[in-house]
Amino acid sequence: MSENSEVTIFDVAEAAGVSITTVSRILNNKPDVAERTRQRVQKVIDELGFIPHAQAQRLASRKSRTIALLFPLERAVSPLEQDFIVGGAAAAGEENFFFNFITAPITESSLLNLYRSAQVDGIILMEIHLDDWRVKLLRDNDFPFVMIGRCADNEGLNFVDLDFDAAIVTAFDHLVELGHRQIGFLALPAHMREQQYGPAVRSLAGYERARQKHGLEVRMWEVNIAVEDMFDATLNILDEQPDLTALVAMQGSPTVGVIRALRQAGRTVPDDFSVVGFATANVAELITPPLTVIDFPAFTMGYQAAKMLIDQIDKKSVENGQILLPSELIVRKSTKPINAVMSDGREG
Amino acid sequence: MSENSEVTIFDVAEAAGVSITTVSRILNNKPDVAERTRQRVQKVIDELGFIPHAQAQRLASRKSRTIALLFPLERAVSPLEQDFIVGGAAAAGEENFFFNFITAPITESSLLNLYRSAQVDGIILMEIHLDDWRVKLLRDNDFPFVMIGRCADNEGLNFVDLDFDAAIVTAFDHLVELGHRQIGFLALPAHMREQQYGPAVRSLAGYERARQKHGLEVRMWEVNIAVEDMFDATLNILDEQPDLTALVAMQGSPTVGVIRALRQAGRTVPDDFSVVGFATANVAELITPPLTVIDFPAFTMGYQAAKMLIDQIDKKSVENGQILLPSELIVRKSTKPINAVMSDGREG
DNA sequence: TTGTAGGCGTTATCAG
DNA sequence: CTGATAACGCCTACAA
């Protein structure tokens, strides 16, 4: 194999005694080539170490074979979502697509330019709001994209999302089954709800459903996604409502703050108090005690979103373009039946 | 602004009454254009909503303005390194470079093809071994790249790495200063050392230095990077050497397994036993008690590597191409002076 | 300061 | 099944 990186399709054609058209056909696995010719040319390609020039291919074919994930760094979302990246890249790699990872803040024109400049064939959007300007823009311009998350109206849109509503109901079902009745809900911060951030709104709806389903009182607080804030909030809450025996929290890994506050307040998890969180397996295992959670399959979500997007780009159609992942409860060591607990929070 | 995405440089030239050369000059901020002309043409560009075709630019200019991070998924490295991605992408975005994130397994030819096919202008390599075939290959072919990590011989190479050797010494200094003398070292697994994985080898060297500096006995074990393995190993170690009062661990977040094992063995951290780990702030805060660590600044490392690579590509030279980050000890709640502890591990 | 002309390395169309 | 030839959209000497 030659080391010459300047070999072009012309050189191959000349050396093989065919036209560049034929070489191009072979490069792109077109059917209309004689098997003998194919083999002869392929041999020359290998001998010369010819590698097609990606940019030239993209210019001529008008396809970039590149997708991008828009990852809004500035919103400082939970590290839960980190695995979207890895999952998306893995899927793109399998399909021989390039995976662009973009963290720069996006504007209307920069978003459109991504397509107009032919840099990408499609985009994965995350941090979706119920009424999302990016979604409108891309849909109106008929640009291929897939959402991780979903809007209020998803007609004709492709997405993969977790069923946050059902997830919260599942969490409450679990606690009620363990005998808990005084259960608090730590919702995402108010500004997320106000901005109509999907998970914030839907988890709240789930809470309402769960509450009514089990006839529970309203015990809900909106808390920032940070260990300190979770810690402080929990102390205050215990102070106000010492009869609580369990909490469900949306905030992911910072839920460790809840457990620390409980310990400081003299409540042991899970003996005196149960906690259900929201996290990937990795994080849940780090927390002490290992956290019973609604699983957050970030890798899978990124993976499926990328696959779906590539389908959309290649085939212009997707078999199932709306994947709503069911919530899966993983019971670890932070929840326990209440019957071992007295109403004052001490062991019986 | 027009919405027509089919506007080309020809249309702009025609509408502005200039040649495409002039338009090109303005697009690329070349100096030799009359200010009046520039403004007139710029106005037309805006009015027409012209966006240069990225692939065409790349083909003609022979530059992709794209860098890639090769992230070896199969080796299942610690999640510490996840933030390399975000840091690298942030830096690339600032420099107007595209950031390709590649997780597919790489071969000699696929690595070379990345350059030969003109898909990328440069690469960030991670998981560097002292004698790394990828490094040799890229250096021999004179392809731009930067390492996160470093080889044994780094002559003429660019990298950003943590000083693992010094880091371990720092950790031991801290413990010795607290009065500890029976200190164990949980090294990275043997296969990493055998494969000459940089951090594995260098942390071991650091351990030897620290041991001799302080006149400590050899108390070293190679342990897998997994909570369970850390847990089991710690129980065995405590059984063998009950006089231990502190451990230094290289494994990152799974070090939580050490703390759990200590608790199970009746040792409380930090009252009866001190632990120093290796982790990012995020993870260290999740562990209970919050872990005293050598900080692992993954975001910064990814960021600096990308900046350095882009420097190398643009200017063909780098001012300081070998960044060895000093180790920074962050004292949290998992270490404590020994004088409060009796030799049998109970409080005095 | 501006324009002309010739690539850049492919793919695609249409004849043969 | 194969081959000219014209795009693809832009950049870059070189000339004016």
Side-chain angles (χ1 to χ4, degrees):
Chain A
M1 279 193 262
S2 161
E3 308 255 316
N4 188 349
S5 62
E6 306 299 324
V7 181
T8 74
I9 198 171
F10 281 93
D11 304 318
V12 174
E14 192 177 30
V18 296
S19 71
I20 61 167
T21 310
T22 299
V23 180
S24 175
R25 285 195 182 99
I26 290 162
L27 252 32
N28 295 289
N29 280 314
K30 299 283 164 95
D32 49 355
V33 182
E35 189 49 32
R36 256 191 64 199
T37 313
R38 178 185 301 277
Q39 292 184 358
R40 184 158 46 91
V41 174
Q42 187 58 55
K43 200 172 154 226
V44 173
I45 290 176
D46 293 343
E47 282 171 1
L48 262 43
F50 166 65
I51 303 296
H53 193 287
Q55 314 295 358
Q57 287 183 310
R58 292 172 187 170
L59 174 58
S61 68
R62 318 184 115 269
K63 282 171 192 154
S64 71
R65 289 197 77 74
T66 300
I67 60 176
L69 169 66
L70 261 39
F71 193 91
L73 211 54
E74 76 271 26
R75 301 197 209 171
V77 296
S78 53
L80 280 184
E81 293 152 350
Q82 206 98 321
D83 268 342
F84 289 161
I85 312 165
V86 181
E94 286 178 12
E95 303 290 338
N96 251 295
F97 264 68
F98 282 84
F99 184 77
N100 256 157
F101 178 55
I102 301 178
T103 59
I106 203 107
T107 66
E108 184 159 327
S109 68
S110 74
L111 181 51
L112 291 179
N113 290 359
L114 239 31
Y115 290 90
R116 293 223 225 273
S117 65
Q119 266 153 175
V120 305
D121 293 337
I123 280 181
I124 300 174
L125 246 35
M126 51 181 278
E127 288 288 290
I128 304 291
H129 292 237
L130 294 188
D131 183 38
D132 202 299
W133 65 269
R134 302 167 301 171
V135 172
K136 275 188 196 149
L137 192 66
L138 295 183
R139 190 189 46 202
D140 290 351
N141 283 275
D142 209 29
F143 289 151
F145 71 100
V146 165
M147 302 178 282
I148 296 180
R150 65 197 203 277
C151 295
D153 172 18
N154 299 289
E155 172 129 12
L157 299 180
N158 292 155
F159 66 79
V160 34
D161 197 6
L162 204 60
D163 192 338
F164 288 91
D165 182 320
I168 296 303
V169 175
T170 304
F172 274 83
D173 286 352
H174 171 61
L175 289 170
V176 168
E177 212 166 288
L178 294 176
H180 294 273
R181 298 292 301 167
Q182 328 301 334
I183 310 171
F185 179 55
L186 303 185
L188 291 175
H191 65 89
M192 287 190 175
R193 169 176 51 73
E194 284 154 10
Q195 291 172 191
Q196 302 270 89
Y197 174 56
V201 176
R202 295 204 170 90
S203 59
L204 231 41
Y207 173 60
E208 264 314 295
R209 281 214 298 138
R211 211 176 56 68
Q212 288 174 18
K213 173 176 176 182
H214 298 296
L216 306 174
E217 296 166 43
V218 177
R219 294 163 179 264
M220 192 273 282
W221 298 268
E222 295 179 315
V223 185
N224 279 337
I225 304 177
V227 175
E228 278 306 306
D229 290 316
M230 298 291 281
F231 182 88
D232 295 343
T234 303
L235 284 186
N236 287 336
I237 288 167
L238 290 174
D239 219 41
E240 284 176 33
Q241 310 200 1
D243 61 328
L244 275 180
T245 67
L247 277 169
V248 175
M250 280 293 292
Q251 286 83 348
S253 61
T255 300
V256 75
V258 172
I259 293 179
R260 286 191 189 140
L262 285 162
R263 185 172 304 127
Q264 172 154 331
R267 310 282 196 105
T268 309
V269 177
D271 295 330
D272 308 329
F273 205 99
S274 287
V275 178
V276 179
F278 224 97
T280 56
N282 267 346
V283 168
E285 296 283 3
L286 280 195
I287 294 176
T288 304
L291 199 62
T292 293
V293 297
I294 304 293
D295 188 44
F296 191 85
F299 180 95
T300 303
M301 293 173 77
Y303 183 91
Q304 291 186 328
K307 286 276 187 181
M308 194 186 284
L309 178 57
I310 291 170
D311 260 21
Q312 190 180 336
I313 291 166
D314 276 350
K315 307 189 212 143
K316 291 283 176 196
S317 78
V318 179
E319 66 278 24
N320 175 16
Q322 305 204 150
I323 300 181
L324 193 59
L325 296 170
S327 58
E328 191 186 349
L329 182 80
I330 300 181
V331 180
R332 293 199 180 82
K333 306 288 188 188
S334 68
T335 53
K336 200 172 168 181
I338 197 173
N339 36 296
V341 181
M342 308 285 281
S343 65
D344 65 354
R346 269 178 258 282
E347 296 263 341
Chain B
M1 277 193 264
S2 159
E3 307 258 320
N4 188 349
S5 62
E6 306 300 324
V7 182
T8 73
I9 197 171
F10 282 91
D11 303 319
V12 174
E14 192 177 31
V18 296
S19 71
I20 62 167
T21 310
T22 299
V23 181
S24 174
R25 286 196 183 96
I26 290 163
L27 251 33
N28 295 289
N29 280 313
K30 298 282 164 98
D32 48 353
V33 182
E35 189 50 32
R36 259 190 63 200
T37 314
R38 179 187 300 277
Q39 292 183 359
R40 183 158 46 90
V41 174
Q42 188 59 56
K43 198 169 156 228
V44 174
I45 289 176
D46 294 343
E47 283 170 3
L48 262 43
F50 166 66
I51 303 296
H53 193 287
Q55 315 296 357
Q57 286 183 311
R58 292 172 187 172
L59 175 57
S61 68
R62 317 185 115 269
K63 283 171 192 153
S64 70
R65 290 197 75 74
T66 301
I67 60 175
L69 170 66
L70 261 38
F71 193 91
L73 211 55
E74 77 270 25
R75 302 200 209 168
V77 295
S78 53
L80 283 184
E81 292 152 351
Q82 206 99 323
D83 267 342
F84 289 161
I85 313 167
V86 181
E94 285 177 13
E95 302 291 338
N96 251 296
F97 264 68
F98 283 82
F99 185 78
N100 256 157
F101 178 56
I102 301 178
T103 59
I106 202 105
T107 66
E108 184 159 328
S109 67
S110 74
L111 180 52
L112 290 179
N113 289 359
L114 239 31
Y115 290 91
R116 292 221 224 275
S117 65
Q119 267 153 173
V120 305
D121 293 337
I123 281 182
I124 300 174
L125 246 33
M126 52 181 279
E127 288 287 291
I128 305 291
H129 292 238
L130 293 190
D131 181 37
D132 202 297
W133 65 268
R134 302 167 300 173
V135 173
K136 276 188 196 152
L137 193 65
L138 294 182
R139 189 190 45 200
D140 290 351
N141 283 275
D142 209 30
F143 289 151
F145 71 99
V146 164
M147 301 178 282
I148 297 181
R150 66 196 201 279
C151 296
D153 172 17
N154 300 288
E155 171 129 12
L157 299 180
N158 292 157
F159 66 78
V160 35
D161 197 8
L162 205 60
D163 192 339
F164 287 92
D165 182 319
I168 296 304
V169 175
T170 304
F172 274 83
D173 285 351
H174 172 62
L175 290 171
V176 168
E177 210 166 290
L178 294 177
H180 294 274
R181 298 290 302 168
Q182 326 301 333
I183 310 171
F185 178 55
L186 302 185
L188 292 175
H191 66 89
M192 287 189 174
R193 169 176 52 74
E194 285 154 9
Q195 290 171 189
Q196 302 272 88
Y197 174 56
V201 175
R202 294 205 171 87
S203 60
L204 230 41
Y207 172 60
E208 264 313 295
R209 280 211 300 138
R211 210 174 58 68
Q212 289 174 17
K213 173 176 178 182
H214 298 296
L216 306 174
E217 296 165 44
V218 178
R219 294 161 179 267
M220 192 272 283
W221 297 268
E222 295 179 315
V223 185
N224 279 337
I225 304 176
V227 175
E228 279 306 307
D229 290 317
M230 299 290 283
F231 183 87
D232 295 343
T234 304
L235 285 186
N236 287 336
I237 288 167
L238 290 174
D239 219 41
E240 284 174 32
Q241 310 201 358
D243 61 329
L244 276 180
T245 66
L247 278 169
V248 175
M250 281 292 294
Q251 287 83 349
S253 60
T255 300
V256 73
V258 172
I259 293 178
R260 286 192 188 139
L262 285 162
R263 186 174 302 126
Q264 172 155 330
R267 310 282 196 103
T268 309
V269 176
D271 295 330
D272 310 330
F273 206 99
S274 287
V275 178
V276 178
F278 224 98
T280 58
N282 266 346
V283 167
E285 297 282 4
L286 280 194
I287 293 176
T288 304
L291 199 62
T292 293
V293 297
I294 304 293
D295 189 41
F296 192 86
F299 180 95
T300 302
M301 294 173 77
Y303 184 90
Q304 291 186 329
K307 286 276 187 181
M308 193 185 286
L309 179 57
I310 291 170
D311 261 21
Q312 191 179 336
I313 292 166
D314 277 351
K315 307 188 214 144
K316 291 283 175 193
S317 78
V318 180
E319 67 278 25
N320 176 15
Q322 306 205 149
I323 301 181
L324 193 59
L325 296 170
S327 58
E328 190 185 351
L329 181 80
I330 300 181
V331 179
R332 293 201 178 80
K333 306 287 187 187
S334 68
T335 52
K336 201 172 169 180
I338 197 174
N339 38 296
V341 181
M342 305 285 279
S343 66
D344 64 355
R346 270 178 257 283
E347 296 262 343

